[in-house]
Amino acid sequence: MRGRLAIALALLLAMVMALAAPAMAQRAAEPRLALVIANGQYRSFDGLSATYGDGDKIAAALTATGFVDASGSGGVRARRDLNTAAMLAEIEAFKAKLAAAGPNSFGMLYYSGHGVALGAGGDVTMVPVDATAANLAAGLSRLEIARKLIGSGTRTLLVVLDMCRSIADGVALPAAAPPSAAPAPAVQGAKGFRRVLREGEGQIRVDQGYLVAFSTSAGEAAFDDGIFSKVLAEEIRRPQQNIAEAMKRVSDRVALKPTGAYQKPTFDYGLQGQPPCFVSCDPTSGDRFYDCANCPWMRPIPAGTAQIGSLLSEVGRRGDEPAQHDVPIARAFALGVYEVTVAEWSACVREGACARIPSWAKENPNPLIPASSIGYGDAQAFVAWLSARSGRVYRLPSEEEWEYASRAGSGTAFAWGDEIAPSNANYDQTGRYRGSPTSPYRGYPEAVNAYPANSFGLYQTEGNVWEWTSGCVADCRRRIVRGGSFQSVPAELRLANRFAIEPSRRRDDVGLRVARDLDPDEVARP
């Protein structure tokens, strides 16, 4: 009996080691070091109660995913309550260890404590525990730290600053620059000074090779409640995502946390190529990208020939559908990997650029459900806001672009074939199409990644919510939505189906998926 148990345990161990081997091999080829700093007991400013816990959670998560301490050995540990000399010394020593680890190393710095903004929309600085209103240490700004550590030669640097970026008054800053903004009112329970003077310096552009993440938006408070570090620690441990994907999930989840205090994490993206992964990478993520923290995931769609319309024999064919024919798509473009989510829409609402929409939280509290109850004007407001935030021109896809990307090479009624089943998409599954199986009516949208992607890597172009396009009929008094929704009968999910509605109408099953043109250097070449 004991012999059989030993054999079973040995086989189980072998299976675990086989599954872990790729991740272990990646970490062996990619030395990982992390410096974690948690400042809470300040001598001249309000103490912070959650920072020790912040540091411990992040240190444990990093250790679990193969990082070693900044000292070069052992599990990652949080340094607590560092004064100016200690912070500068730890960062200098961390740089030396990264340099010794070689050009393939992956370094991460996490800081939780007070923070001070140096200029409107510009740099910020960490604050040591011995700082005073008359004397803040130089050398601890975001830009200075990132430049120093990337100078080690590390391949990838991730800096996470869990601190305020808001304006206050009354404290002299280390960098001399013309004043750029008026002070903001104090926020109780936040990781920022009651009285801090913010002086500006130019717009910061992050060098390639690193990602700098903030627990809040520019000019806003980061609350001393441990929520950001909790979500970050969970995402560090989550497999099948790279660090850019992890930080975007953190941003969306924290922004929709069920508290009265809004906090939207943002980041400066300076990574090149495929970023590293904390645990394991998603082999399907490919070349998807995003342009800003609040921007949707996008995927390049190559130029090609689109099959537009339906076969004359297609079941459910409507009179406004053209007979299937070829249309050239002369230029590559980018299209949203997913429908726009409630988290992405909420960021636009927060900045006053988009209208508030009804919530599906009672039916489905997932922050990854699609935004809905959106009129055509609302959709145009969202793409205009994305354009302003990202510096790229976002738009709605044309009908031809939408159908080409949704078909992904298919000439059938649906992207997956001529039949439909409840496992394919979210629709009114009590209905039938060509004798299809049925399922109970669900009646609400599901997460935008709930069903398999098509051959272009796009999720749920069919079902879930209708998607606005730039197409129109009747002298554009009615606009075209495509794809069907959770309320649709199966035939409405056919790729050739067109649905015209008034631009001002806000149906609870209409959302959007965004598009943008690609620059020449963004287009993949054979």
Side-chain angles (χ1 to χ4, degrees), residues 392-404:
R392 304 283 187 165
V393 180
Y394 280 81
R395 58 181 174 80
L396 297 176
S398 68
E399 285 197 78
E400 290 79 10
E401 288 173 331
W402 185 94
E403 190 167 340
Y404 170 61

Side-chain angles (χ1 to χ4, degrees), residues 161-180:
L161 301 177
D162 188 356
M163 65 188 199
C164 280
R165 303 171 68 191
S166 53
I167 307 170
D169 59 23
V171 172
L173 295 181
S180 63

